[in-house]
């Protein structure tokens, strides 16, 4: 990974640079799946959070759960979820846009007063393509994309996953960026591209 490649992961389509990591322990909850899949998702959370050197919690004192996964068949189902409209401003027009785009996934982040991540809502419409992905791969990919505020284009042409020894793992370069981003000496929020140079330095030091 070059500094330029790292910067691209946090440079949004409008050209702005924005990095943010979680500023509190992650308390996940999963809706719409069987118990077996629930355990797979929580296992992926534990693995990625351990990689980051961050913490998990049973509950968040403000929100109860702060990393929420929703699995469903049609976007319109979100409009029937109690209180979701209070937590996500503009839910109805958002659902309309996602239906029009025939999207099968979307993430909404919420931030604290300092700009660090305090909550993430992960929406997964289980269309044919999404349903064909093994649960462990899907869970690992989604958790990896939720542990940092990546660019909206970061994974449009590449997956955060890789295959090693016939097993799907978090891509080593992406794992390195996550670990560097959670280094205690690094800021929780950054909007200057020079931040990518600091990430690169941490990755080289940890290699």
């Amino acid at each position: 990974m070059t500094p330029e490649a790292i910067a691209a992961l946090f440079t949004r389509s409008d050209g702005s640079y924005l990095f943010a990591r979680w500023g509190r322990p992650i308390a996940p909850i999963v809706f719409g799946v069987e118990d077996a899949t629930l355990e797979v998702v929580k296992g992926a959370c534990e693995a990625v959070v351990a990689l980051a050197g961050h913490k998990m919690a049973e509950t968040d004192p403000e929100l109860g759960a702060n990393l929420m996964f929703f699995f469903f068949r049609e976007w319109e189902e979100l409009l029937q979820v109690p209180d979701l409209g209070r937590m996500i401003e503009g839910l109805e027009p958002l659902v309309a846009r996602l239906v029009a785009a025939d999207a099968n996934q979307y993430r909404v982040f919420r931030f604290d007063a300092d700009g660090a991540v305090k909550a993430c809502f992960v929406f997964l419409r289980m269309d044919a393509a999404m349903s064909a992905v093994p649960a462990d791969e899907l869970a690992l990919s989604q958790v990896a994309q939720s542990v940092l505020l990546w660019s909206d284009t970061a994974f449009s042409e590449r997956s955060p996953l890789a295959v090693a020894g016939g097993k799907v793992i978090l891509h080593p370069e992406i794992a390195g960026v996550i670990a560097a981003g959670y280094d205690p000496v690094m800021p929780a929020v950054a909007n200057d591209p020079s931040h990518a140079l600091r990430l690169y330095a941490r990755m080289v030091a940890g290699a």
Side-chain angles (χ1 to χ4, degrees), residues 19-39:
F19 167 95
R21 69 188 186 199
W22 284 76
R24 59 180 65 190
I26 295 175
I29 192 170
V30 186
F31 300 97
V33 297
E34 298 176 349
D35 288 346
T37 303
L38 171 64
E39 292 305 315

Side-chain angles (χ1 to χ4, degrees), residues 20-24 66 109-112 115-120 146-149 182 188-189:
R21 69 188 186 199
W22 284 76
R24 59 180 65 190
N66 55 29
F109 288 85
R110 290 177 63 184
F111 306 92
D112 62 23
V117 176
K118 74 172 185 179
C120 179
S146 305
V147 75
L148 291 176
L149 181 67
Y182 276 88
V189 182

Side-chain angles (χ1 to χ4, degrees), residues 91-103:
L91 180 62
E92 289 194 20
L94 172 62
V95 166
R97 291 199 305 273
L98 294 170
V99 169
D102 195 30

Side-chain angles (χ1 to χ4, degrees), residues 3 11 20 22 29-30 38 57 63 71 74 79 83 91-92 112 140 143 166:
T11 302
W22 284 76
I29 192 170
V30 186
L38 171 64
L63 303 168
F71 291 78
E74 301 296 339
L79 302 177
D83 298 326
L91 180 62
E92 289 194 20
D112 62 23
L140 185 58
V143 173

Side-chain angles (χ1 to χ4, degrees), residues 89-164:
E89 185 176 352
L91 180 62
E92 289 194 20
L94 172 62
V95 166
R97 291 199 305 273
L98 294 170
V99 169
D102 195 30
N104 60 12
Q105 60 180 295
Y106 193 76
R107 281 167 295 281
V108 176
F109 288 85
R110 290 177 63 184
F111 306 92
D112 62 23
D114 296 323
V117 176
K118 74 172 185 179
C120 179
F121 303 84
V122 181
F123 301 118
L124 300 170
R125 181 173 71 89
M126 301 306 291
D127 60 4
M130 197 69 82
S131 298
V133 180
D136 56 342
E137 294 181 26
L138 182 60
L140 185 58
S141 174
Q142 294 300 323
V143 173
Q145 293 179 75
S146 305
V147 75
L148 291 176
L149 181 67
W150 306 93
S151 159
D152 53 336
T153 61
F155 301 112
S156 58
E157 296 182 3
R158 67 175 293 175
S159 169
L161 307 182
V163 178

Side-chain angles (χ1 to χ4, degrees), residues 37-51:
T37 303
L38 171 64
E39 292 305 315
V40 169
V41 175
K42 289 195 171 182
C45 286
E46 292 170 354
V48 175
V49 169
L51 164 72

